[in-house]
Amino acid sequence: MAKILVDNWPQFIHGFWNTVWCSLIALFFSLLLGVIFALMEVAPSKLASAIAHIYIEIFRNIPLLVITMIFYLVVPRSGIKMSGFAAGTIGLALYSSAFIAETVRAGINSVGKGQMEGARSNGMTYNQAMRYVILPQALKIVIPPLGNQFVNLIKNSSVLAFVAGFDLMYEADTIAFSSLETINTYIIVGVFYLILTLPLSYYMRYLEKRLA
Amino acid sequence: MKKIKKILVLPLFILLLLAVSGCGRRPEGNVYTQTKESKTIYWGVKADTRLFGLMNIKTGKIEGFEIDLANALTKQILGKNGKAEFVQTTPKTRIPLLKNGNIDAAIATMTITPERKKQVDFSTPYFNAGQSLLVKDDSDIKNIRDLNGKTAVAVKGTTAVANVKKFAPKAKVLEYDDYGQAFAALKAGQGQAMTTDNGVLAGIASENPGYKLVGGTYTTEPYGIAVNKGQNDMLKQINKALEELKANGTYHRLVVKWFSGIPGFNVKEAEGLNG
């Protein structure tokens, strides 16, 4: 097993960093989009709520692979150049944002109604009450489920392998096929994913303890 | 009551284990004796490759040259009552399935290579394949050397990448899980040429107007039937049956049946008669 690791080290590292980059970019945008759509869904405006609802239901209920394939195979037909890495990262961000939106919305709903009423009766506007009273409490509540979503996101980044995005999984496929040491290669890849996901899990645990 | 539960749990657990492990044969046993006992050969075949092995959606059966050949070989090895069972494989799964004993032999557009020979044993070649290029009709790519600086699409687990790098070191190669995805990527413009075995490309070209093969074959990569390492009896039987089918004309009939209609495809070359 060590031999495969040493022989293919540059390939593993290349894939590892692509997975890290893809995950970080997708993490940032899915969190941003997720919070925005969660706020839209609970907003008093019926229109905003409907738009958010449609967005979430579409991206939550279509397999990640299908979303990615659409960006990879259909979008380039309109003349937009789209690499496998870009298509995979966009697909991953949109797909994950729907789940994060649902998680954050659940958090907002779990903050007692009295909080909003109290804030409003003290003269805050809806936006102020949301920003200073509701959201801080809601985000604290959703840290554990959010941690799950982040770990899922990293693991889901393996979708890049299907669209030649040169991520960890893609390189693993290539190494496994050329060396024919299929099982050992995938065990090594499993360890690489653990290197990414375990610290994240522990960090989320730590945050949970610090803030709760 | 508690005792009864304990008594029940153990057999149930064993049954579960049997159910999980029971699909397939023991990989360490003699495959030939096992097939003779069960009168069945489990063939690993392709189900996504036109002309070789393709799932017919209407009938639910896999059809193609390799299927016909596997059927003929089965009858030759086991006699008239012999039954051929087909298991779908991909370049990714065919060797693990052989090693696990899920299939007895793989006849799945598999090129004979030294690396693969370390893992499995191959029969004598049954199809003289070679890599070629598939491009859009208006492409300016004439042969493999024109690929320098361009992007080719290929399928994971095949010999395509190494070969492209040999003839066109500056070409980029993107790999996909199967031919359908690779061709979809070519259509979407993710690459300028698709490279794989000529037989496979001919199958795609025959179904998709607007695409053509160029440059002829730039490698010689005969297909062989693979069996697990050490299954010498099975290998001998397959080689003997293949020899008999070539001698009695069945083999030639099957090649003509599947490949004669394709423009520019050299049936004699495929049979290995002049090359």
Side-chain angles (χ1 to χ4, degrees):
Chain A
M1 199 184 291
K3 194 173 175 301
I4 300 173
L5 188 62
V6 173
D7 286 354
N8 301 290
W9 180 253
Q11 259 181 292
F12 274 120
I13 289 303
H14 182 239
F16 181 75
W17 284 116
N18 273 336
T19 293
V20 170
W21 273 117
C22 163
S23 301
L24 282 178
I25 297 168
L27 201 77
F28 175 77
F29 282 105
S30 61
L31 193 59
L32 189 73
L33 285 172
V35 172
I36 289 173
F37 279 105
L39 287 176
M40 277 172 74
E41 219 190 357
V42 296
S45 155
K46 281 232 169 75
L47 180 70
S49 162
I51 292 172
H53 196 69
I54 291 169
Y55 173 89
I56 291 168
E57 290 306 330
I58 285 178
F59 286 109
R60 199 171 58 145
N61 292 309
I62 299 177
L64 172 57
L65 188 55
V66 175
I67 300 173
T68 304
M69 281 297 180
I70 289 171
F71 276 97
Y72 191 60
L73 297 177
V74 183
V75 172
R77 288 190 181 193
S78 59
I80 302 163
K81 282 243 173 205
M82 182 76 77
S83 72
F85 184 86
T89 309
I90 293 172
L92 187 61
L94 295 182
Y95 177 80
S96 308
S97 72
F99 285 91
I100 289 175
E102 278 302 274
T103 311
V104 173
R105 184 187 62 90
I108 292 172
N109 285 346
S110 72
V111 177
K113 256 194 178 154
Q115 300 267 347
M116 177 57 99
E117 286 160 5
R120 292 301 296 274
S121 63
N122 275 311
M124 282 189 180
T125 64
Y126 175 85
N127 287 342
Q128 282 173 333
M130 198 42 117
R131 191 172 154 199
Y132 297 111
V133 179
I134 310 291
L135 257 190
Q137 296 184 67
L139 288 179
K140 243 182 255 173
I141 295 168
V142 298
I143 281 173
L146 218 47
N148 278 340
Q149 300 297 353
F150 291 167
V151 170
N152 274 339
L153 184 147
I154 291 178
K155 291 188 292 180
N156 282 340
S157 71
S158 58
V159 76
L160 259 68
F162 287 91
V163 291
F166 292 92
D167 72 321
L168 199 45
M169 202 62 200
Y170 180 87
E171 299 292 358
D173 281 346
T174 324
I175 295 165
F177 297 141
S178 56
S179 67
L180 297 174
E181 295 272 3
T182 315
I183 295 164
N184 287 339
T185 309
Y186 288 122
I187 290 174
I188 292 173
V189 164
V191 174
F192 269 110
Y193 276 106
L194 278 180
I195 292 174
L196 283 177
T197 49
L198 270 188
L200 180 68
S201 295
Y202 280 111
Y203 181 67
M204 295 307 282
R205 286 259 161 88
Y206 167 78
L207 267 188
E208 195 184 329
K209 274 198 193 125
R210 269 290 296 274
L211 297 175
Chain B
M1 197 57 198
K2 249 191 178 166
K3 226 179 193 173
I4 294 174
K5 262 191 192 161
K6 259 190 192 161
I7 292 167
L8 273 175
V9 163
L10 191 66
L12 271 176
F13 186 68
I14 292 170
L15 218 69
L16 189 74
L17 273 181
L18 281 178
V20 170
S21 61
C23 0
R25 301 168 194 269
R26 284 160 292 124
E28 67 277 8
N30 185 324
V31 167
Y32 177 56
T33 358
Q34 286 170 14
T35 56
K36 250 188 13 193
E37 275 163 22
S38 62
K39 288 262 168 228
T40 312
I41 298 179
Y42 288 89
W43 296 93
V45 295
K46 299 292 283 284
D48 62 350
T49 313
R50 199 166 292 282
L51 306 176
F52 287 88
L54 183 73
M55 179 64 81
N56 184 327
I57 300 163
K58 275 180 205 148
T59 59
K61 279 190 183 137
I62 307 172
E63 295 167 356
F65 169 67
E66 287 177 339
I67 308 300
D68 285 358
L69 187 59
N71 270 322
L73 285 171
T74 308
K75 299 270 183 268
Q76 205 70 27
I77 295 169
L78 297 178
K80 278 218 159 58
N81 298 329
K83 233 180 89 194
E85 287 284 346
F86 297 110
V87 179
Q88 283 188 35
T89 63
T90 65
K92 222 175 185 175
T93 60
R94 55 198 176 187
I95 288 181
L97 285 176
L98 265 181
K99 295 241 162 259
N100 293 343
N102 298 61
I103 53 178
D104 300 325
I107 178 163
T109 61
M110 197 166 175
T111 300
I112 303 168
T113 67
E115 292 88 40
R116 287 180 187 151
K117 271 186 180 165
K118 286 178 203 154
Q119 305 276 329
V120 294
D121 285 331
F122 282 103
S123 72
T124 50
Y126 66 91
F127 186 89
N128 261 333
Q131 276 191 17
S132 191
L133 295 175
L134 183 73
V135 296
K136 280 189 178 145
D137 269 344
D138 56 3
S139 169
D140 54 359
I141 295 171
K142 297 270 183 297
N143 60 49
I144 180 71
R145 285 183 180 79
D146 292 342
L147 265 185
N148 267 323
K150 297 214 164 69
T151 305
V153 300
V155 175
K156 285 175 187 167
T158 63
T159 44
V161 181
N163 283 317
V164 170
K165 291 280 173 208
K166 211 185 307 170
F167 291 92
K170 285 191 200 122
K172 195 177 169 197
V173 185
L174 302 177
E175 293 177 275
Y176 302 88
D177 275 20
D178 56 45
Y179 297 115
Q181 282 184 23
F183 184 61
L186 178 70
K187 264 185 174 167
Q190 297 287 358
Q192 287 81 47
M194 176 169 171
T195 177
T196 188
D197 299 334
N198 54 347
V200 176
L201 290 180
I204 296 173
S206 70
E207 287 295 308
N208 294 280
Y211 291 88
K212 60 176 181 185
L213 277 87
V214 290
T217 57
Y218 56 92
T219 60
T220 310
E221 301 177 89
Y223 292 161
I225 300 166
V227 299
N228 199 0
K229 260 257 159 307
Q231 297 297 348
N232 295 331
D233 288 350
M234 190 66 189
L235 193 64
K236 261 182 219 153
Q237 290 297 324
I238 289 174
N239 276 334
K240 196 172 131 244
L242 195 58
E243 206 56 47
E244 287 161 1
L245 290 179
K246 278 184 178 171
N248 71 16
T250 311
Y251 173 80
H252 177 70
R253 199 169 47 76
L254 289 180
V255 176
V256 168
K257 174 185 168 190
W258 287 99
F259 296 101
S260 62
I262 295 176
F265 194 92
N266 190 338
V267 171
K268 275 197 170 150
E269 184 190 67
E271 283 187 58
L273 292 180
N274 59 350

